[in-house]
Amino acid sequence: MLKALKRAIANDNELDNETLRLLSLLFLLISGAMSFFKYTEVYSFWPNTIRTLEPRLISTVIAVLLISPLYLRGVLKWNRSVFTLVSLMLILLVFASFVELAMGGNQHSQTVSALIGAALILSWFGIREIAGISWVLALAAAIYAANESNLAMGKAGFVYIASGFIGLVLHSGLNPGQLVQGMRSEYLPAKAE
């Protein structure tokens, strides 16, 4: 049994498409399900609910606007199958919960919301250079807002981000660098040459 486990873990054989698809759905489901938990941090003796990442109307609309260009550019794969429909729902759930995380969870930051809104509008109107600067500012503000969620989520934050990222990598069929590059080229300005 130990030899079989060693062989399964240490070999370089690629997984078949069905296994990759099931693993993609599983990882996206784990990340999406974690968005419905309440994360608390204890200040002295009293527990204080810091964040919930449950997607709401605005975060879901923003998520639709964020993932649509990724499907358009082929970073995320689309066809009319049950798998891609379920994937779309789970990817939408993960992106919407991540938008909630970036906006401060249940304690929304008006600054982050305004920056994300401005970046989306500029991106959709095709003003990529200014939109890229807006995305950088929105990302910086979101990192600041997510810092408090980081304190509340603790180790669960790793599982949430890692599961979502692995699910996206497996869905896209790209390697992690190509996925990040595809997302970066969509949301950040190109370097001047």
Side-chain angles (χ1 to χ4, degrees):
M1 181 168 145
L2 186 58
K3 283 185 179 183
L5 180 64
K6 183 175 109 177
R7 199 175 19 240
I9 293 173
N11 73 26
D12 275 339
N13 295 334
E14 290 195 15
L15 300 171
D16 61 36
N17 282 338
E18 287 180 4
T19 304
L20 289 173
R21 288 175 170 206
L22 287 174
L23 286 173
S24 171
L25 294 176
L26 176 67
F27 282 113
L28 289 169
L29 182 63
I30 290 169
S31 183
M34 291 181 74
S35 68
F36 294 102
F37 298 158
K38 291 187 184 337
Y39 298 97
T40 59
E41 182 179 9
V42 177
Y43 292 113
S44 49
F45 299 107
W46 300 280
N48 182 19
T49 300
I50 300 291
R51 299 282 183 258
T52 60
L53 306 177
E54 294 176 0
R56 294 180 173 89
L57 177 69
I58 299 299
S59 59
T60 304
V61 169
I62 291 171
V64 166
L65 295 174
L66 285 173
I67 66 172
S68 294
L70 298 176
Y71 278 104
L72 185 64
R73 291 175 59 94
V75 173
L76 298 176
K77 307 299 181 217
W78 176 259
N79 62 34
R80 292 181 182 112
S81 68
V82 173
F83 167 74
T84 55
L85 290 174
V86 173
S87 291
L88 173 62
M89 288 298 294
L90 290 173
I91 289 169
L92 188 59
L93 172 62
V94 170
F95 269 69
S97 67
F98 190 71
V99 169
E100 282 290 330
L101 172 74
M103 292 193 309
N106 56 337
Q107 301 171 7
H108 282 289
S109 165
Q110 297 299 329
T111 304
V112 177
S113 299
L115 287 170
I116 290 174
L120 279 170
I121 290 168
L122 292 170
S123 292
W124 277 90
F125 281 120
I127 310 170
R128 292 183 59 87
E129 291 75 23
I130 298 171
I133 294 167
S134 300
W135 280 117
V136 170
L137 292 175
L139 181 63
I143 289 170
Y144 178 77
N147 187 47
E148 289 183 25
S149 297
N150 176 48
L151 297 174
M153 290 184 81
K155 296 173 187 145
F158 169 79
V159 176
Y160 168 72
I161 296 295
S163 295
F165 184 69
I166 291 170
L168 286 173
V169 166
L170 293 175
H171 173 79
S172 70
L174 303 173
N175 70 41
Q178 291 169 326
L179 177 64
V180 170
Q181 180 59 35
M183 294 174 80
R184 183 188 164 281
S185 67
E186 184 58 41
Y187 301 122
L188 298 177
K191 293 180 181 177
E193 304 211 13

